[in-house]
Amino acid sequence: MPKITSINSKGPLIRFFLKSVILTVFSVAVTSMLLSLLVYKVDLDIRSLEYLSYVSVCISSLFISYFSVKPLKNNGFVMGMLSSLPLVIYSFVNLISHGNNIIHYLIKLLLILVISGIFGYISASKSKKFKVK
C-alpha cells in the first residue's frame, strides 16, 4: 500500500481553510457583539472605537489561530499566520469601505500576524496529529 502524504491529500488543507473562514466569521461576530455591548453599557466615546477594534482583532486572531492549527503537528507559526488570512482580508475590506486610516490597518495587520503566529505555534506544539511539510 502506498504511503499517504499530506502533499497528495488536499482534504486536510481544505478543512483547515474552511475552519479558519468559519472561525473568522464566528469570532468577529462574537467579539463585535461583546464589545458593542461594552460600549453601550459603559457609554464610551466614539473615539475609543478604533482602539477597541484592536482588542477585537487580537481576540479574534487568538481564537482563530489556536483552534485552526490544533489538528496540525508542526509549522504552527506559519500555519497560524495563514489561518488569520481571512481576518486580514476582512480588515482590508473594512479599510477600503470605511476609509479608515492606513496606519490603524498596519497596526492591526502586525497584531494579527504576531498573535496568530504565536498562538498557532502554541497550539501546534501541543498537538500530535498531522504533519505538514
Coordinates of all heavy atoms in Angstrom, one line a residue, residues 3-4 18 30 34 39 42 51 73 79 95 106 113 120 131:
K3 N 2.3 5.0 0.6 CA 2.3 5.9 1.7 C 1.5 7.1 1.4 O 1.6 7.7 0.4 CB 3.8 6.3 2.0 CG 3.9 7.2 3.3 CD 5.4 7.5 3.5 CE 5.5 8.4 4.7 NZ 6.9 8.8 4.9
I4 N 0.6 7.5 2.3 CA -0.2 8.7 2.2 C 0.5 9.9 2.8 O 0.8 9.9 4.0 CB -1.6 8.5 2.8 CG1 -2.3 7.3 2.2 CG2 -2.4 9.8 2.7 CD1 -3.6 6.9 2.9
L18 N -11.3 26.1 5.4 CA -12.8 26.2 5.8 C -13.0 26.5 7.2 O -13.8 27.3 7.6 CB -13.5 25.0 5.4 CG -13.9 24.8 3.9 CD1 -14.5 23.5 3.6 CD2 -14.8 25.9 3.4
V30 N -18.8 37.5 17.3 CA -19.0 37.4 18.8 C -18.2 38.6 19.5 O -18.7 39.2 20.4 CB -18.5 36.1 19.3 CG1 -18.4 36.1 20.8 CG2 -19.5 35.0 18.9
L34 N -19.8 41.6 21.8 CA -19.4 41.8 23.1 C -18.9 43.2 23.3 O -19.2 43.9 24.3 CB -18.4 40.7 23.6 CG -19.0 39.3 23.7 CD1 -17.8 38.4 24.1 CD2 -20.0 39.3 24.8
V39 N -19.5 49.0 25.0 CA -19.6 50.4 24.6 C -20.9 50.9 25.1 O -21.1 52.1 25.6 CB -19.4 50.6 23.1 CG1 -19.7 52.0 22.7 CG2 -17.9 50.4 22.8
V42 N -21.1 51.0 29.2 CA -20.2 51.9 29.8 C -20.3 53.3 29.3 O -19.8 54.2 29.9 CB -18.7 51.3 29.7 CG1 -17.7 52.3 30.3 CG2 -18.6 50.0 30.3
Y51 N -9.7 52.0 19.0 CA -8.8 51.3 19.9 C -9.5 49.9 20.4 O -8.8 49.0 20.6 CB -8.5 52.1 21.1 CG -7.8 53.4 20.7 CD1 -8.3 54.6 20.9 CD2 -6.5 53.3 20.1 CE1 -7.7 55.8 20.5 CE2 -5.8 54.5 19.7 CZ -6.5 55.7 19.9 OH -5.8 56.8 19.5
K73 N 0.6 19.3 13.4 CA 1.7 18.9 14.3 C 2.9 19.9 14.3 O 3.4 20.2 15.3 CB 2.2 17.5 14.0 CG 3.3 17.0 14.9 CD 3.7 15.6 14.6 CE 4.8 15.2 15.5 NZ 5.2 13.8 15.3
M79 N 1.4 28.3 9.9 CA 0.0 27.9 9.7 C -0.9 28.8 10.5 O -2.0 29.1 10.1 CB -0.2 26.5 10.1 CG 0.6 25.5 9.2 SD 0.2 25.7 7.5 CE -1.3 24.9 7.4
L95 N -11.0 48.6 5.7 CA -10.2 49.8 5.4 C -10.7 50.5 4.2 O -10.9 51.7 4.2 CB -8.8 49.5 5.3 CG -7.8 50.5 4.7 CD1 -7.6 51.6 5.8 CD2 -6.6 49.9 4.2
L106 N -2.3 49.0 9.4 CA -0.9 48.4 9.5 C -0.7 47.9 10.9 O -0.1 46.8 11.1 CB 0.1 49.4 9.1 CG 0.1 49.7 7.6 CD1 1.2 50.8 7.3 CD2 0.3 48.5 6.7
L113 N -0.8 39.2 12.7 CA 0.3 38.3 12.3 C 1.1 37.8 13.5 O 1.4 36.6 13.6 CB 1.2 38.9 11.3 CG 0.5 39.2 9.9 CD1 1.5 39.8 9.0 CD2 0.0 37.9 9.3
G120 N -0.6 30.0 17.1 CA -0.6 28.9 16.2 C 0.6 27.9 16.6 O 0.5 26.7 16.6
K131 N 1.2 16.0 10.2 CA 2.5 16.7 10.0 C 2.5 17.3 8.6 O 2.3 16.7 7.6 CB 3.7 15.7 10.1 CG 5.0 16.4 10.0 CD 6.1 15.4 10.3 CE 7.4 16.1 10.3 NZ 8.5 15.2 10.5

